[in-house]
């Protein structure tokens, strides 16, 4: 089987496991982590939350730092954390932390050299869920969440495939990559200079156009160093208003961009998803 | 003031902060982390749990991975996490992960070159608590806990200074360093070849001799790779029995030596300490 288990840790009565597999979409070997709650060992098919991490992360950051397993065990929810880009020696890269490996932005690149491997949107929204549903005791009920670059990824997955997700949430998302330095740098590299091509990967643009979307919750910290320049939550609010969509946007005074913020409110986001996954 | 704040993160309504200071005992600059619960900002003097980490760790591992802040915030308890050894360019070191920097074993070294800086017992049991109590809104109520090498450290601190701690706990402690490879290597280097000198730093020996000790809880994972060769919980049980002392030893099937284990049971240990700190 194209699925190699490389670690297993018992955690809150369930299991945290890491796997390697050959991704056809990304044309490289990929690692992901899955948390299987106790219910998954009792014959129940549990729903799955996909978690997309931010710049420089791997599958490990969320699993080690968010404290999510306690709640996933209580709520009977699996969590899958993919890596943040294709990886490996033959995969295009850049010395900067915000381009190339560790910075895939959950889109499908069209420009060389990136277009050979950088198809993270297809990977996280199609190939990985199919693999998970084929090999683990999970149902086809999916939710999606993420942080920063991964918050943007969660939003675009849910906006482009609303039928596939019961709910979507984000911590500190790069909400409007079209109009911020991180997004402009990555989109120019991955998608080219024609900004018309960028629209399909901008959460604010997609939200304005959307006719259907799953319940959406966003949490931001008001002491986040990246808030005004890179995240632009007010653009997301305006887009939701323009599109006539409900958006639960929670602002938290004093909190920053770190996992200390995520850990503080992951319980609220996971209970939000559990309510919709059960529905 | 000899206390330099280098990071602050809001977390569960309180604050996670890191500081640098010049340690007189260790003769070098040291970093520690403190979690101050919301109650500390409301004028209450909160009790402090000291957490001692294991081999290779710094002040960050526990704070990032254990999920303890949620409970500390609920219970109104500060947590202080020191580093695991003296640090810096002028400080003796060894290429191995289990000797030198990152491996101080919470004892006072007597042998050159280690005796110049390696006085972690005096640091964590005397200098650091005095610093914390002088500069933060905390009471003099202390508890102590730790993992692996730090579990051993917590036990010896509580056994050598029982009057100073309301309670002590350990995850997966190196319970009997006299009789295991990690302990023998470190004790030979730090304390010399005369094994009589080792007795004062072995938790099992101290427990057999103890006339007084605070309530003590130990959690171990039965799938811990280090259990039989390095940890020897049965030696601790035998020592408690020989000394006529109560020991709450909890064995957890399937759990290993990782922070996934600690995260799963930190709530039980912190509630144990909260009960005794309030008493």
């Amino acid at each position: 089987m194209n699925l190699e288990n490389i670690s297993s840790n018992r955690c809150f009565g369930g299991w945290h496991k890491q796997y390697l597999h050959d991704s056809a979409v990304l044309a490289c070997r990929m690692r992901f982590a899955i948390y299987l709650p106790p219910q998954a060992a009792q014959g129940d098919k549990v729903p799955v939350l996909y978690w997309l991490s931010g710049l420089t992360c791997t599958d490990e950051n969320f699993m080690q730092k968010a404290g999510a397993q306690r709640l996933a065990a209580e709520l009977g929810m699996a969590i899958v954390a993919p890596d943040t880009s294709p990886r490996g020696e033959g995969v295009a890269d850049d010395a900067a932390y915000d381009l190339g490996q560790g910075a895939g932005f959950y889109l499908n690149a069209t420009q060389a050299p990136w277009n050979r491997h950088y198809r993270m949107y297809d990977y996280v929204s199609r190939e990985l869920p199919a693999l998970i549903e084929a090999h683990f005791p999970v149902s086809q009920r999916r939710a999606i969440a993420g942080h920063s670059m991964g918050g943007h990824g969660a939003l675009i997955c849910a906006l482009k495939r609303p039928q596939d997700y019961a709910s979507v949430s984000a911590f500190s998302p790069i909400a409007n990559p079209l109009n911020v330095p991180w997004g402009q740098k990555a989109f120019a590299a991955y998608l080219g200079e024609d900004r018309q091509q960028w629209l399909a990967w901008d959460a604010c643009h997609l939200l304005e156009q959307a006719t259907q979307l799953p319940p959406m919750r966003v949490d931001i910290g008001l002491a986040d160093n990246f808030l005004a320049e890179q995240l632009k939550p007010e653009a997301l609010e305006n887009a939701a208003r323009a599109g006539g969509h409900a958006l639960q946007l929670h602002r938290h005074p004093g909190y920053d961009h770190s996992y200390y913020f995520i850990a503080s409110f992951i319980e609220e986001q996971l209970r939000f998803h559990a309510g919709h996954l059960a529905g």
Side-chain angles (χ1 to χ4, degrees), chain A residues 1-3 19-23 30 32 50 80 123 126-136 138 142:
Chain A
M1 186 171 71
N2 171 28
L3 200 55
Y19 289 87
L20 294 174
H21 74 113
D22 294 318
S23 165
M30 291 293 288
F32 68 85
Y50 290 85
V80 171
Y123 176 69
R126 302 181 61 164
E127 187 184 35
L128 185 60
L131 182 83
I132 297 295
E133 290 166 14
H135 294 293
F136 295 94
V138 302
R142 302 176 194 163

Side-chain angles (χ1 to χ4, degrees), chain A residues 14-36:
Chain A
W15 289 93
H16 168 266
K17 292 169 182 267
Q18 289 176 297
Y19 289 87
L20 294 174
H21 74 113
D22 294 318
S23 165
V25 162
L26 301 176
C28 66
R29 199 145 176 85
M30 291 293 288
R31 191 176 74 190
F32 68 85
I34 185 168
Y35 177 70
L36 291 165

